Amino acid sequence: MRAAVVNAFGGPEAVEIVEVEVPEPGAGQVRIKVAAAALNPVDAGVRAGGFGGAGKQLGLGWDVAGTVDATGVATGWTVGDDVVALAYGPAKSLGTHADYVVVDAGAVAKAPASVDAVQAASLPLNALTATQALDLLGLEPGQSLLVTGAAGAVGGYAVQLAAHRGLSVTALAREVDEELVRSLGAAQFVSGAVAPGSVDGVLDAAILGAAALEWVRDGGAFVGVIPGAHPASVRGVRTGSVEVAADGARLAELAALVDQGVLTLRVAETYALDEAAKAHARLAEGGLRGRLVLQP
């Protein structure tokens, strides 16, 4: 089968399409025939060497939508099931940017019924990150949350999920994105200065760090999206960062929210798997308001 990998770190040109053996699922694993797989900034980080693994062949891709093609024992899944999954890990030999991928059965969820595979492929990594970040914040209905980078993939899901949880959401984004983030459920919008200590919590999808921490009231909460990179606690503010974890049960809940119209899936462009390097180049250009998706 074909797989997108890097054998040497670099820019988009470092992405190679190679022929490898089709992986076999072990006990508690399933093999998915990939219909679509999103390209995320973390893939660019892997490609550039941000997660280590020098001297190894590293597979790319975390998100997948497709069909169960083979199963090991005790998986609970059946060949032919339409599914989505998160293939966690920055230093794996094969990722989801391939014709087939093997993942643990516990990472898999039934695909949303109301969207196609291309749209569904944009759900796992970013929506799981957003919902797990909200869990860490631990805010109660009626409390106020500011989401930085609210027009991005994680930020957009965070706005919708937070509003669905009954939080009062302020979205921080560029002025041109005001209509978008308000449509996602933001009650307030800001594009510049935020009053110090004005919100109960911040979900820092834009990676502003200490500057955004100042906006949290004394005793509030701050969660970043780069594991271990959050600022130290001040004024009694709880600070932390989310490290996304594969969770099929939680992913199933998110898929159900897609079918209920709570979550909006945004795809910017699609590319053939063989055009993976071209897709990386497009990602590097920026300005996207949706995910790039590869289709084998």
Side-chain angles (χ1 to χ4, degrees):
M1 71 169 192
R2 299 167 302 160
V5 304
V6 290
N7 285 295
F9 300 138
E13 73 284 350
V15 179
E16 303 178 47
I17 303 298
V18 299
E19 291 286 335
V20 298
E21 292 294 323
V22 176
E24 294 296 333
Q29 293 183 317
V30 301
R31 185 171 69 208
I32 299 171
K33 181 177 173 59
V34 179
L39 174 64
N40 289 282
V42 69
D43 296 306
V46 171
R47 185 201 72 221
F51 298 92
K56 300 178 181 178
Q57 178 171 287
L58 300 177
L60 299 169
W62 294 48
D63 290 311
V64 62
T67 304
V68 174
D69 170 74
T71 68
V73 298
T75 68
W77 294 98
T78 302
V79 171
D81 288 341
D82 292 326
V83 296
V84 289
L86 176 67
Y88 174 85
K92 49 189 182 279
S93 60
L94 290 173
T96 63
H97 297 170
D99 290 315
Y100 297 89
V101 64
V102 168
V103 296
D104 291 337
V108 181
K110 183 178 179 182
S114 58
V115 298
D116 63 20
V118 169
Q119 293 174 298
S122 68
L123 179 70
L125 175 59
N126 295 292
L128 280 170
T129 299
T131 199
Q132 291 169 5
L134 289 170
D135 292 345
L136 283 177
L137 282 165
L139 299 181
E140 299 293 332
Q143 288 191 289
S144 57
L145 171 69
L146 188 144
V147 178
T148 74
V154 172
Y157 285 133
V159 169
Q160 290 188 304
L161 290 166
H164 184 64
R165 294 186 183 198
L167 302 181
S168 175
V169 181
T170 298
L172 176 65
R174 299 184 306 167
E175 288 186 7
V176 295
D177 290 318
E178 179 175 1
E179 182 179 350
L180 168 63
V181 296
R182 285 191 181 278
S183 75
L184 298 176
Q188 292 85 34
F189 171 82
V190 290
S191 61
V194 178
S198 60
V199 292
D200 295 311
V202 164
L203 196 164
D204 186 24
I207 320 175
L208 302 181
L213 180 60
E214 293 301 312
W215 305 332
V216 183
R217 65 164 173 81
D218 294 359
F222 173 101
V223 168
V225 297
I226 304 296
H230 54 275
S233 175
V234 295
R235 300 180 287 104
V237 177
R238 290 185 294 107
T239 64
S241 49
V242 63
E243 181 167 3
V244 69
D247 185 337
R250 201 60 180 279
L251 185 54
E253 295 174 1
L254 294 166
L257 291 177
V258 172
D259 287 337
Q260 294 166 25
V262 173
L263 289 182
T264 303
L265 306 181
R266 292 181 286 154
V267 173
E269 299 172 26
T270 60
Y271 291 82
L273 176 61
D274 291 338
E275 298 177 311
K278 182 179 177 182
H280 275 253
R282 176 64 188 92
L283 179 65
E285 293 173 3
L288 296 167
R289 285 297 171 259
R291 278 287 167 251
L292 303 176
V293 176
L294 301 178
Q295 295 180 273

